[in-house]
């Protein structure tokens, strides 16, 4: 029996993520929502969804010892980070007046507001970036199996990731200029969008994660 | 290529059943909310909004169960509005599986509630619902005010200023309903929609008055809305969500097809 640990650092509701993984999982998969680092250490696969503000996320993780659990997972087992979870993998975020993150993937998290141009001169860019946008696969990764190029996924975020090295970029999305919407490095995969809110393609992504052999 | 405009079917729920908008004299039962939500998901709805128009407390629990059930099988964003008055109401709905809550009257009574809600749960899940009605008379510059109690009670608040204030308080999205148009099937109040959309930096959902598919497209092209909401044109099989999306795409609007 294979097991998936869904990291719950107490900041928000993981109902949808858990349901989506259960929906995508085969009968032999055990899905646990947990705040226990030991449980995360035992799991075959780890999902790290992020909700709320980055400082609360990092703080909550540290208090519970989950930051170390994620670092160890990132060294050895399939790890999927989602939304703020993806941002938390980086070195640093501009959110909350500047927040140090987990430093697992080199790079920064930037605010749309201060870095993105207006869509057309004179108009303002609507923030959060909210809704269904296209995800352009940059690399041919197992996680994209049965997901068409430029499929739409549901996004809701005001900050985006800028990795230090272009080699980790797995997908990009334009708002209005391209930013990194997915990252892949060895056994780590991270997405800015919400697969659990992205209907069929989102469920496919979770199914791919559960079948991903490194 | 880029972010698509959204179509959001709205389910008015009373005592656990979907009902046609309260403005209509003949209130018809439009079915079980879980079944209706499932159907809209299959038709390609970009999100679903539930408005709880029930009065009693017991029926509120019914709404929580509806959200739980829908969230277990429908994997698109869900918004719940109606009767969101305290932080605990928000927590209850988010825990049930809602992604966003819409705050309406409580924001008018206490704008700080919106600030607290955004701080606690994040702006991304706080929608402020604005019910506006035109108050300027012919010959005057257009002006709209916020009304509560289904459009019966004026507040004296200017709609454009109020929208800006709600965004300052942390609203992540505005759900704008024209009380003049709601239930009329005459189309959105496009001047109102454009005034609000151009005034704020967050996405705006246009609502109130949709009677045909061109109205939906007009909300985006002329009203500058980021998303359009409708209820009755979808509930009774007049149009499917898919037809609406194809129509909007044919009008040159970027959609998720």
């Amino acid at each position: 029996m294979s097991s998936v640990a869904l990291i719950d650092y107490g900041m928000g509701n993981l109902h949808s993520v858990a349901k989506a993984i259960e929906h995508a999982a085969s009968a032999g998969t055990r899905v646990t929502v947990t705040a226990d680092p030991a449980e995360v250490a035992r799991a075959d696969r780890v999902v790290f969804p992020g909700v709320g503000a980055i400082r609360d996320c990092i703080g909550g993780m540290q208090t519970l010892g989950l930051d170390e659990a994620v670092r160890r997972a990132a060294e050895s087992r399939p790890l999927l980070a989602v939304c703020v979870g993806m941002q938390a993998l980086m070195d640093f975020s501009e959110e909350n007046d500047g927040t140090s993150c987990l430093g697992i993937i080199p790079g920064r998290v930037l605010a749309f507001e201060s870095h993105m141009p207006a869509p057309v001169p004179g108009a303002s860019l609507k923030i959060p970036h909210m809704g269904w946008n296209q995800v352009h696969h940059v690399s041919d990764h197992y996680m994209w199996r049965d997901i068409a190029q430029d499929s739409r996924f549901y996004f809701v975020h005001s900050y985006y990731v800028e990795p230090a090295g272009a080699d980790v970029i797995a997908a990009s999305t334009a708002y209005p200029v391209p930013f990194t919407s997915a990252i892949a490095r060895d056994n780590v995969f991270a997405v800015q969008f919400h697969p659990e809110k992205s209907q069929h393609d989102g469920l496919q992504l979770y199914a791919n994660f559960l079948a991903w052999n490194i | 290529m880029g972010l698509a405009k959204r179509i959001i079917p709205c389910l008015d729920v009373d005592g656990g059943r979907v009902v046609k908008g309260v403005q209509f004299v003949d209130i018809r039962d439009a079915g079980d909310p879980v079944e209706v939500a499932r159907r809209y998901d299959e038709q390609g709805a970009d999100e679903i909004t539930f408005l709880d128009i029930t009065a009693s407390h017991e029926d509120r629990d019914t709404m929580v169960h509806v959200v739980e059930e829908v969230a277990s099988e429908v994997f698109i964003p869900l918004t719940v509005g109606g009767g969101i008055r305290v932080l605990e109401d928000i927590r209850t709905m988010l825990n049930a599986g809602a992604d966003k809550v819409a705050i309406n009257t409580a924001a008018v009574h206490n704008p700080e509630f919106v600030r607290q809600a955004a701080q606690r749960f994040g702006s991304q899940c706080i929608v402020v619902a604005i019910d506006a009605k035109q108050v300027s008379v012919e010959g005057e510059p257009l002006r709209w005010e916020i009304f509560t109690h289904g459009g019966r009670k004026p507040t004296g608040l200017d709609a454009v200023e109020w929208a800006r204030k709600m965004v300052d308080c942390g609203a992540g999205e505005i759900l704008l309903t024209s009380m003049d148009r709601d239930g009329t099937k005459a189309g959105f109040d496009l001047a109102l929609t454009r005034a609000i959309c151009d005034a704020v930096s967050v996405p705006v959902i246009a609502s109130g008055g949709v009677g045909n598919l061109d109205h939906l497209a007009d909300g985006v092209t002329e009203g500058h809305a980021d998303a359009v909401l409708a209820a009755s044109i979808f509930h009774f099989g007049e149009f499917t969500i898919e037809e609406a999306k194809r129509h909007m795409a044919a009008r040159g609007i970027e959609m998720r097809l």
Side-chain angles (χ1 to χ4, degrees):
Chain A
M1 186 189 241
S2 116
S3 61
V4 183
L6 177 55
I7 295 183
D8 179 8
Y9 54 94
M11 288 317 295
N13 152 56
L14 302 178
H15 180 281
S16 307
V17 186
K19 290 289 174 192
I21 295 172
E22 281 166 15
H23 208 274
S26 60
T29 307
R30 194 166 60 95
V31 183
T32 332
V33 180
T34 183
D36 176 9
E39 183 86 39
V40 176
R42 278 195 296 273
D44 300 318
R45 294 166 198 278
V46 177
V47 177
F48 173 27
V51 280
I54 192 84
R55 176 160 295 169
D56 295 340
C57 167
I58 302 290
M61 299 278 290
Q62 287 167 341
T63 303
L64 295 162
L66 287 166
D67 53 332
E68 272 312 304
V70 168
R71 279 201 187 88
R72 278 202 294 277
E75 286 163 9
S76 52
R77 287 160 291 147
L79 170 68
L80 176 62
V82 175
C83 195
V84 176
M86 177 198 203
Q87 298 176 4
L89 298 183
M90 312 310 284
D91 293 318
F92 172 81
S93 171
E94 290 185 342
E95 194 178 355
N96 303 129
D97 301 319
T99 304
S100 289
C101 301
L102 301 177
I104 292 168
I105 306 275
R108 302 180 299 164
V109 185
L110 307 175
F112 275 115
E113 196 174 14
S114 27
H115 297 275
M116 284 293 186
V120 286
S124 67
L125 186 68
K126 297 275 178 163
I127 298 165
H129 171 223
M130 185 187 282
W132 298 80
N133 206 335
Q134 290 174 301
V135 172
H136 187 79
H137 310 162
V138 175
S139 67
D140 184 23
H141 198 283
Y142 183 79
M143 288 290 285
W144 301 133
R145 187 186 58 146
D146 291 336
I147 295 171
Q149 177 64 292
D150 295 321
S151 291
R152 290 184 185 276
F153 286 83
Y154 189 82
F155 288 81
V156 51
H157 61 126
S158 303
Y159 295 81
Y160 66 98
V161 156
E162 187 186 70
D167 54 321
V168 299
I169 300 174
S172 70
T173 295
Y175 192 66
V177 298
F179 68 91
T180 299
S181 52
I183 276 179
R185 194 188 69 190
D186 306 324
N187 53 302
V188 178
F189 201 84
V191 293
Q192 179 60 67
F193 50 83
H194 290 269
E196 68 280 3
K197 289 291 149 188
S198 299
Q199 227 197 5
H200 304 303
D201 285 331
L203 295 175
Q204 182 64 46
L205 194 90
Y206 279 125
N208 291 349
F209 177 68
L210 296 173
W212 181 25
N213 288 311
I214 296 149
Chain B
M1 303 290 269
L3 186 64
K5 301 297 178 184
R6 292 168 278 153
I7 289 193
I8 307 175
C10 178
L11 282 59
D12 288 337
V13 179
D14 186 359
R17 299 292 292 179
V18 179
V19 295
K20 196 171 166 181
V22 284
Q23 304 76 7
F24 294 87
V25 182
D26 112 70
I27 293 184
R28 276 198 283 174
D29 186 300
D32 169 47
V34 179
E35 277 170 33
V36 175
R38 198 183 291 138
R39 185 168 78 230
Y40 290 153
D41 174 51
E42 282 163 9
Q43 291 177 4
D46 295 312
E47 297 185 16
I48 294 174
T49 290
F50 297 93
L51 285 184
D52 189 358
I53 58 168
T54 330
S56 77
H57 261 288
E58 295 120 57
D59 286 339
R60 284 259 134 156
D61 293 338
T62 311
M63 192 67 218
V64 175
H65 296 310
V66 166
V67 174
E68 275 172 354
E69 212 172 320
V70 173
S72 300
E73 50 180 303
V74 170
F75 296 102
I76 58 174
L78 307 175
T79 301
V80 181
I84 303 289
R85 292 190 181 87
V86 293
L87 293 176
E88 197 51 36
D89 295 333
I90 302 177
R91 184 185 309 283
T92 301
M93 285 306 176
L94 295 180
N95 283 341
D99 299 282
K100 309 183 231 183
V101 294
I103 304 173
N104 189 344
T105 313
V108 175
H109 291 319
N110 177 21
E112 280 306 303
F113 175 54
V114 173
R115 196 184 299 279
Q116 289 164 4
Q119 269 166 6
R120 179 75 66 86
F121 303 104
S123 289
Q124 81 288 341
C125 62
I126 305 300
V127 182
V128 169
I130 291 181
D131 292 344
K133 226 174 174 173
Q134 188 177 327
V135 290
S136 51
V137 294
E138 231 182 295
E140 284 180 351
L142 287 170
R143 215 173 73 79
W144 301 267
E145 261 181 32
I146 304 301
F147 280 67
T148 58
H149 298 81
R152 293 190 304 276
K153 214 171 153 186
T155 63
L157 297 163
D158 178 80
V160 174
E161 278 170 32
W162 179 249
R164 283 206 186 100
K165 179 170 179 169
M166 289 296 96
V167 173
D168 285 343
C169 285
E173 195 171 33
I174 299 286
L175 167 55
L176 172 68
T177 303
S178 160
M179 301 313 288
D180 297 311
R181 296 301 178 91
D182 204 24
T184 64
K185 295 203 164 220
F188 296 121
D189 181 337
L190 294 171
L192 166 69
T193 307
R194 192 164 50 239
I196 302 285
C197 289
D198 291 353
V200 299
S201 58
V202 302
V204 176
I205 305 163
S207 157
V210 173
N212 63 46
L213 302 183
D214 273 320
H215 289 157
L216 293 171
D218 293 343
V220 172
T221 57
E222 291 174 50
H224 300 174
D226 301 282
V228 286
L229 181 141
S232 52
I233 64 159
F234 298 128
H235 289 344
F236 300 100
E238 207 176 328
F239 299 104
T240 65
I241 308 273
E242 195 187 352
E243 282 166 348
K245 291 176 107 172
R246 295 209 177 277
H247 186 85
M248 290 175 77
R251 290 259 318 252
I253 298 167
E254 184 146 8
M255 302 298 295
R256 174 179 74 109
L257 294 172

